């Protein structure tokens, strides 16, 4: 076939187009190759920044940001690269050997989902913002060998996103005075259901076990809503559950439910100045709440001004006082069951502080239930039930005032035996006081007992003072016993009825005196009453 001029022209154009196409294709391929080099270098740089080298698949890393879907090798890197509102999810069990401190900035809200895995850290987590650690699958755990697991300056929550699965924070530190959480001034802690805070084992300091604090509160607010706070390694009597540290007026602890169990003090209140039922330094409530110490005090108050307010709950100790008040602060018991299972008293007021009881069930299995060992104040009103294996209440140099309730002692209902000429007093204007030996005894010193009020009216039905013992011992079987041999004892008898199988009232010795209403219109009427087949001597007032 022959080509004319037009054919040659057309063929030339086609060749030129083919050459142009090939040149463009080569240019595109060259550009793609250059881009690949750049991307490979970027990938290399990113991996090196994460300490991965160039051979690790990022999908195998232990942490993933659920918003950006980016994987991280360390918790510190994962938290640093978050935006407020992000969730970091743990993807496998990991021993995080990073020496960088995971830190939540003060303008960030971060969620850490343990996802049922175990994270082992050597550095504390510092929270300046809002941090919630929870687990979307059961048995998520953080093990930390740092002296503090969470150093909290902001708001820290356990199981805040969801509390349906179990999570645990375990301190494995061998450092004395180690903590799981340290909360700072004006910060907030919320500990929710199915979260547990605990230590792995006991540690020693010299020849003794070292003190450790599950939570130390340096001026923040801690709210326990169902968490388990366990500090029971080897039943160490020096281990503390929650410490409201001294020197921080703003410290507050609110226990709505949960378990706090320790070898030492379960709740140690030394800080916080709140002294009303709404502002108390420590508030314990919730019928399912359990506060237990196996070797020390369940509630220990050394606060000079703040109050521990007990609304509800089960509070138990087996080796020392269940509740001990050692300073000028106040313990206010409105309800709950407070038990001593060993040989110590249940509630012990050792100084000039106040024990206020308006409800609850308080009992001791091997000693007096409430002891006023110093010049403090015991006030009982409402309808509490106070039961002691020896005395219901033992007083010394302070004052005991009873306006209601049921107080029972296997030995004495109330005993205010003092010594060295120091005076103590008991005033009973309501309630039922029962002693297996003596109802109320002022056994020595300069004690005074006042029954009722000198207000011009006489109530012969309340209060009731009774001894149930049928022994003919010189003291046993006496409703009220006032010792006046080598001492001065006073009975002010203004209201009520006194009963005893042997004596209703016994004034023994020349130093024992009895005062009746100042109106001069009344005298003591002696009688008898048969109760369950036993004849009781009775005493009450009548008009002359």
């Amino acid at each position: 076939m022959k080509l004319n001029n037009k054919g040659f022209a057309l063929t030339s154009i086609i060749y030129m187009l083919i050459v142009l196409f090939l040149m463009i294709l080569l240019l595109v391929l060259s550009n793609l190759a250059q881009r690949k080099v750049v991307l490979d270098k970027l990938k290399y740089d990113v991996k090196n920044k994460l300490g991965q080298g160039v051979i690790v698949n990022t999908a195998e890393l232990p942490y993933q940001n659920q918003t950006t879907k980016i994987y991280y090798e360390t918790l510190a890197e994962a938290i640093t690269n978050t935006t407020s509102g992000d969730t970091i999810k743990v993807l496998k069990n990991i021993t995080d050997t990073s020496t960088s401190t995971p830190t939540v900035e003060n303008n960030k809200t971060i969620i850490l989902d343990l996802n049922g895995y175990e994270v082992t850290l050597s550095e504390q987590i510092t929270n300046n913002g809002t941090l919630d650690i929870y687990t979307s699958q059961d048995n998520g755990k953080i093990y930390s060998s740092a002296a503090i697991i969470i150093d909290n300056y902001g708001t820290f929550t356990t199981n805040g996103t969801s509390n349906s699965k179990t999570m645990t924070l375990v301190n494995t530190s061998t450092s004395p005075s180690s903590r799981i959480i340290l909360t700072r001034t004006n910060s907030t802690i919320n500990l929710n259901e199915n979260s547990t805070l605990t230590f792995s084992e006991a540690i020693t300091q010299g020849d003794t076990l070292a003190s450790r604090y599950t939570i130390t509160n340096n001026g923040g607010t801690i709210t326990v809503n169902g968490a388990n706070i366990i500090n029971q390694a080897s039943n160490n009597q020096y281990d503390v559950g929650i410490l409201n540290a001294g020197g921080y007026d703003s410290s507050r602890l609110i226990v709505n439910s949960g378990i706090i169990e320790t070898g030492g003090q379960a709740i140690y209140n030394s800080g916080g100045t709140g002294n009303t039922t709404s502002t108390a330094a420590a508030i314990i409530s919730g019928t399912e709440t359990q506060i237990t110490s196996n070797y020390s005090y369940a509630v220990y108050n050394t606060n000079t001004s703040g109050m521990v307010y007990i609304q509800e709950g089960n509070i138990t100790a087996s080796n020392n006082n269940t509740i001990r008040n050692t300073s000028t602060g106040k313990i206010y018991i409105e309800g709950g069951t407070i038990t001593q299972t060993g040989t110590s008293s249940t509630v012990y007021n050792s100084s000039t502080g106040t024990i206020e009881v308006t409800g609850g069930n308080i009992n001791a299995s091997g000693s007096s239930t409430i002891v006023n060992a110093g010049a403090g104040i015991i006030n009982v009103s409402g309808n509490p039930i106070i039961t002691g294996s020896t005395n219901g209440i033992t007083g010394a140099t302070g004052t005991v005032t009873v306006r209601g309730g049921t107080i029972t002692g296997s030995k004495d209902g109330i005993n205010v035996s003092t010594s060295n000429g120091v005076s103590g007093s008991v005033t009973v204007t309501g309630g039922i006081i029962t002693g297996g030996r003596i109802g109320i005894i002022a056994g020595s010193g300069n004690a005074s007992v006042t029954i009722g009020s000198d207000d011009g009216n006489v109530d012969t039905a309340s209060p009731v003072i009774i001894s149930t013992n049928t022994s003919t011992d010189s003291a046993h079987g006496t409703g009220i016993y006032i010792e006046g041999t080598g001492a001065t004892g006073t009975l002010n008898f203004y209201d009520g009825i006194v009963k005893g199988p042997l004596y209703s009232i016994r004034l023994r010795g020349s130093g024992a005196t009895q005062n009746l209403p100042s109106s001069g219109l009344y005298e003591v009427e002696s009688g008898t009453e048969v109760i369950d087949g036993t004849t009781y001597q009775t005493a009450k007032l009548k008009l002359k």
Side-chain angles (χ1 to χ4, degrees), residues 122 124 144-149 171 173 175-180 199:
S122 59
Q124 70 180 34
S144 177
S145 59
I148 301 168
I149 297 182
N171 189 307
S173 171
S175 171
S177 300
S178 54
R179 296 162 173 82
I180 294 177
F199 287 89

Side-chain angles (χ1 to χ4, degrees), residues 403-427:
R403 299 182 180 89
T406 300
I407 301 172
T408 304
S410 297
K411 185 179 179 183
D412 302 327
I414 299 177
N415 185 315
V416 285
S417 299
T418 62
S419 60
N420 300 322
V422 180
S423 61
S425 68
V426 174
T427 299

Side-chain angles (χ1 to χ4, degrees), residues 253-527:
L253 168 63
I254 302 168
V255 181
N256 294 318
S257 60
I259 296 172
I260 304 174
E261 184 175 358
T262 66
Q265 298 88 36
I267 294 177
Y268 187 160
N269 185 56
S270 184
T273 56
N275 57 10
T276 68
T277 55
S278 60
T279 66
I283 298 176
I284 301 170
S285 65
T287 57
E288 300 301 317
T289 297
Q290 298 180 42
I291 314 293
T292 304
S293 172
N294 290 326
Y295 280 82
S296 187
Y297 320 118
V299 176
Y300 186 37
N301 188 42
T302 63
N303 201 320
T304 59
S305 58
M307 182 171 78
V308 176
Y309 175 35
I310 301 171
Q311 292 180 294
E312 295 175 311
N314 300 286
I315 304 175
T316 305
S318 57
N319 202 51
N320 216 315
N321 311 123
T322 307
I323 297 175
R324 190 177 182 97
N325 194 38
T326 64
S327 189
T328 57
K330 184 176 183 178
I331 304 283
Y332 183 5
I333 303 171
E334 185 178 81
T337 300
I338 303 170
T339 305
Q340 218 310 311
T341 61
T343 58
S344 297
S345 55
T346 309
V347 180
Y348 193 88
N349 197 33
S350 66
S351 186
T352 58
T354 299
I355 306 292
E356 186 88 26
V357 182
T358 63
N361 191 326
I362 309 172
N363 57 84
S365 62
S367 186
S368 298
T369 308
I370 299 177
V371 174
N372 199 31
I377 298 170
I378 306 291
N379 292 324
V380 179
S381 61
N383 296 294
I385 299 173
I386 300 170
T387 308
S389 64
T390 53
N391 303 328
I393 297 177
T394 297
T397 61
T399 62
V400 176
T401 302
V402 179
R403 299 182 180 89
T406 300
I407 301 172
T408 304
S410 297
K411 185 179 179 183
D412 302 327
I414 299 177
N415 185 315
V416 285
S417 299
T418 62
S419 60
N420 300 322
V422 180
S423 61
S425 68
V426 174
T427 299
V428 180
T429 59
I432 300 172
I433 315 298
T434 303
R437 184 183 75 148
I438 298 171
I440 298 177
I441 177 173
S444 60
N446 298 321
S448 66
V449 175
T450 300
I451 308 299
S453 302
D454 189 11
D455 56 5
N457 299 308
V458 172
D459 182 349
T460 60
S462 178
V464 176
I465 317 298
I466 185 170
S467 166
T468 59
N469 196 323
T470 57
S471 169
T472 57
D473 179 272
S474 60
H476 289 223
T478 302
I480 297 178
Y481 181 96
I482 306 296
E483 178 61 69
T485 302
T488 59
T490 303
L491 171 62
N492 301 308
F493 189 20
Y494 303 136
D495 290 300
I497 185 167
V498 184
K499 306 175 185 181
L502 186 61
Y503 298 101
S504 56
I505 297 172
R506 186 176 186 200
L507 307 176
R508 183 174 182 272
S510 60
T513 59
Q514 177 176 271
N515 298 315
L516 301 181
S518 58
S519 65
L521 301 176
Y522 293 90
E523 62 184 2
V524 176
E525 178 183 29
S526 298

Side-chain angles (χ1 to χ4, degrees), residues 199-231:
F199 287 89
S200 61
E201 60 183 355
I203 59 174
T204 58
Q205 185 175 22
D207 295 328
T208 62
L209 292 169
S211 299
R212 294 185 301 182
Y213 306 88
T214 312
I215 303 173
T216 296
N217 186 15
N218 287 353
T221 297
I222 299 171
T223 303
V224 181
N225 290 316
N228 301 320
I229 299 167
I230 311 296
N231 195 342

Side-chain angles (χ1 to χ4, degrees), residues 18-38:
I18 292 173
V19 171
L20 180 60
F21 172 76
L22 291 174
M23 291 177 62
I24 293 173
L25 181 61
L26 289 173
L27 182 63
V28 169
L29 291 175
S30 176
N31 188 44
L32 289 175
Q34 289 178 0
R35 286 175 176 267
K36 184 178 184 303
V37 170
V38 172

